[in-house]
Amino acid sequence: MTAKTSDIEMAAGVLRAGGLVAFPTETVYGLGADAEDPAAVARIFQVKGRPPSHPLIVHIGGAEQLGDWVEDVPATARLLAEHFWPGPLTLVLRRGRRVPLEATGGLETVAVRVPDHPVALALLSAFGGGVTAPSANRFGSVSPTTADHVSAELGDAVDFVLDGGPCEVGVESTIVDVTGEIPSVLRPGGVTREDLEAVLGYPLAVPAASPVRVPGQHPSHYAPRARVVLVEPEKVLVEPEKVIVEAELAQELGHQVGLFLPASLAGAVVKAHAVVALPDSMAAYARGLYRFLRELDQQGCDLIVASLPVEEGLGLAIANRLRRAAGPRPSSTGTVPRQ
Ligand code: AMP
Ligand code: MG
């Protein structure tokens, strides 16, 4: 789905004036500001309730612009950019001078990507500069994959919302650190580890120290209001009856249970508040993941029992988001604070 030229022009004008524009990408909807305007960038953090130390991604219109935003472009970065851009791959490189520290959370590195969406690319082309954007949701909650999700969650806090239809990929980009000798994945996402290694011709490095390289990153993220409990793929495979019986017991004990189950098992559930029959393909599961979580919240579920995919290919990114959604919440009320 494309947007009207007049809407693109208007959105570019909002960016030029220091405003915030929500826009579609192939991964999720972003909350964008002029990457070179520190005051506009600061407003993103304020609207999201995001800690200022949590860095943003700078979106650019083409791989040929990469050198304008980073200190230098190593050969590996060039190779990956040529191969996967436009696409759901973010490269972390040494920060170029035009990127304000507000956008990088004070880091001397910057995350950059070229989104693969006609509306995002039209906006970047009309605006002419870089657009820094995290996902267009409150910090810690479920990412938006439609324009309605953005409006429902952020409302008037956003100056302009571009509607480009539902996002194709549905989970965020893969973040690869290319500042070291061997690239490492900081966050699994839309481009698989297998795809990256096939292009590189060698295995990716394990990220140094901890996979949580980003200051201020909280163990709970991508979280719906309902508590999330995970079921490992082996358990779904070996004892599916037990998974169903346990979920039904929770419902009998007074919970409003929402279940994510493979389609082959979903029909066997008798007692649950809501059941999502998961698509067989990982691409369809990723595309629907955040929508499913939002729908179960809307239907009044207080407990989501989610069956995890096998952690390979896109399944790695889906499992990463579900594990974080199930992570310990910052308050004792069991919900993520929302400003
Ligand atoms: P979001 O757009 O909300 O998915 O968040 C952007 C993510 O990009 C952050 O959570 C970080 O994980 C990552 N990121 C951005 N800049 C950097 C950087 N300089 N170094 C490492 N990770 C980064
Ligand atoms: Mg986010």
Side-chain angles (χ1 to χ4, degrees):
M1 185 168 150
T2 52
K4 285 190 294 199
T5 314
S6 55
D7 281 349
I8 299 282
E9 286 302 333
M10 208 177 295
V14 169
L15 290 175
R16 266 180 229 116
L20 300 186
V21 173
F23 64 99
T25 77
E26 79 281 33
T27 61
V28 302
Y29 273 69
L31 180 63
D34 176 354
E36 292 172 88
D37 179 342
V41 174
R43 247 190 90 206
I44 293 181
F45 288 88
Q46 189 207 332
V47 165
K48 275 190 64 105
R50 180 173 171 122
S53 57
H54 206 99
L56 307 177
I57 295 171
V58 177
H59 295 74
I60 58 172
E64 71 289 348
Q65 298 167 21
L66 179 60
D68 301 341
W69 298 91
V70 302
E71 188 63 29
D72 64 332
V73 184
T76 346
R78 202 171 295 283
L79 174 71
L80 294 176
E82 273 167 13
H83 210 90
F84 293 104
W85 284 355
L89 175 71
T90 296
L91 297 175
V92 172
L93 290 149
R94 287 171 58 211
R95 181 177 70 93
R97 280 165 184 272
R98 70 195 275 196
V99 183
L101 284 168
E102 281 81 357
T104 69
L107 296 174
E108 284 304 333
T109 51
V110 60
V112 187
R113 95 174 180 102
V114 180
D116 187 13
H117 193 291
V119 175
L121 291 171
L123 176 67
L124 288 163
S125 160
F127 175 58
V131 173
T132 192
S135 49
N137 55 283
R138 304 253 183 237
F139 182 66
S141 81
V142 180
S143 304
T145 52
T146 66
D148 284 348
H149 293 166
V150 178
S151 302
E153 192 162 335
L154 298 180
D156 292 344
V158 187
D159 300 309
F160 200 90
V161 181
L162 277 171
D163 190 348
C167 301
E168 266 295 305
V169 176
V171 291
E172 292 80 354
S173 59
T174 304
I175 301 181
V176 175
D177 182 348
V178 268
T179 57
E181 206 169 310
I182 299 178
S184 62
V185 174
L186 301 182
R187 172 178 78 184
V191 171
T192 66
R193 167 176 281 271
E194 294 84 344
D195 288 344
L196 290 164
E197 292 184 343
V199 168
L200 290 169
Y202 54 84
L204 290 152
V206 175
S210 137
V212 185
R213 289 274 306 273
V214 184
Q217 208 168 31
H218 201 278
S220 168
H221 213 94
Y222 315 110
R225 278 177 205 285
R227 217 179 107 214
V228 179
V229 172
L230 303 175
V231 188
E232 298 294 328
E234 304 76 47
K235 183 160 174 179
V236 179
L237 200 67
V238 179
E239 11 180 44
E241 322 74 32
K242 204 166 164 192
V243 175
I244 293 173
V245 166
E246 285 172 4
E248 291 187 334
L249 185 63
Q251 178 75 24
E252 277 172 24
L253 289 172
H255 282 291
Q256 297 301 317
V257 177
L259 261 171
F260 275 23
L261 274 184
S264 56
L265 299 177
V269 182
V270 183
K271 282 169 255 161
H273 189 66
V275 184
V276 173
L278 294 172
D280 284 337
S281 97
M282 285 300 115
Y285 189 169
R287 193 176 306 126
L289 175 66
Y290 292 136
R291 179 167 50 82
F292 301 151
L293 291 172
R294 279 174 188 271
E295 282 172 359
L296 292 186
D297 262 352
Q298 263 164 15
Q299 290 171 33
C301 294
D302 65 359
L303 182 66
I304 295 176
V305 179
S307 129
L308 283 166
V310 175
E311 295 187 38
E312 60 189 24
L314 257 184
L316 189 63
I318 298 169
N320 169 273
R321 304 309 187 268
L322 283 171
R323 288 189 192 285
R324 305 265 320 267
R329 306 278 169 104
S331 78
S332 57
T333 60
T335 53
V336 176
R338 278 153 233 263
Q339 287 85 357

